Structures are given as C-alpha cells and as structure tokens.
Amino acid sequence: QVQLVESGGGLVQAGGSLRLSCAASGRTFRTYAMGWFRQAPGKEREFVATINWSGGTTDYVDSVKGRFTISRDKNMVYLQMNRLKPEDTAVYYCAVRTEMVISTNARNYDYWGQGTQVTVSS
C-alpha cells in the first residue's frame, strides 16, 4: 500500500522559513516524478513545485520562484520555503506521479499525502 506522509508544517512569521518533508513508502519511487501542491481556504488546489525522477529537472509556480526549492533523496521529497509570505498560507500536499517526467497538473499525479498546514503570520 502506497503511503505519503508530510511533515514540517507550522506557524511562522512573514519572512521566515520552513522545510517540508514527505516520506513515500509502499513501493520504489526513484523512477517517478514528485510534486508539491497547496490549497488555501476557499481556493482550489494549486501547483507549487515538481521534480523529475533524477532531480535534474524542476518547475515552480511563478509566485514561489526564487523563494522555494524542491529536492529529493530516494523516497523522500523536500520543499525548502524561504522568505515566506502570508499568501503562502495553505495546506501543503505531497504527490507522486508514476511517470519519470514532471507535470504541473494535479490530475497527472497518482498518489497523495494527507497534507500539512503552513500558516504565515504578517
């Protein structure tokens, strides 16, 4: 059974940093792309970042470029979030796509975690 477990969320002041982690288990994920999405209250789930199977290709939503960094190691994926803003407040979800290449479309991801809350105060 595939399981994704996120951790690292919390409350932080604007300008601060958080590092989200996602542990994937149940199968080997080293040949799969992984990603992070987020959902703020009253809004649709939004793409944040994605990384391909090797870690050599990444993509980000424009609003986080230069502030967030996605990385991976074996069955772990990370999201380093710097210079956080109140508009980054959301539940952040880890996802796995059973393909090697990246995608920014949530419909192309096959497995999802339960999410971790990130709250940025002004």
Side-chain angles (χ1 to χ4, degrees):
Q1 182 178 357
V2 174
Q3 187 175 20
L4 301 177
V5 179
E6 301 98 336
S7 62
L11 173 64
V12 63
Q13 288 188 334
S17 298
L18 284 174
R19 188 191 194 211
L20 303 184
S21 299
C22 174
S25 62
R27 62 189 301 175
T28 300
F29 291 93
R30 63 176 180 267
T31 60
Y32 295 156
M34 303 179 81
W36 288 95
F37 292 77
R38 66 187 179 187
Q39 188 166 17
K43 295 187 177 181
E44 294 186 353
R45 190 167 296 190
E46 173 190 37
F47 162 74
V48 177
T50 181
I51 188 166
N52 75 333
W53 70 279
S54 68
T57 301
T58 59
D59 196 9
Y60 301 87
V61 66
D62 285 346
S63 61
V64 309
K65 285 180 179 177
R67 300 189 297 122
F68 291 11
T69 302
I70 188 171
S71 61
R72 65 183 298 165
D73 180 22
K74 298 181 178 66
N75 277 13
M76 296 290 296
V77 64
Y78 306 97
L79 187 67
Q80 178 66 44
M81 305 186 295
N82 299 327
R83 303 198 306 277
L84 282 160
K85 303 176 181 180
E87 51 263 44
D88 295 319
T89 295
V91 176
Y92 282 72
Y93 297 91
C94 169
V96 170
R97 179 170 189 243
T98 55
E99 298 285 346
M100 298 174 75
V101 297
I102 62 174
S103 174
T104 63
N105 190 334
R107 295 179 180 179
N108 292 332
Y109 287 77
D110 303 287
Y111 301 103
W112 293 83
Q114 293 300 307
T116 184
Q117 177 70 48
V118 171
T119 303
V120 184
S121 63
S122 58

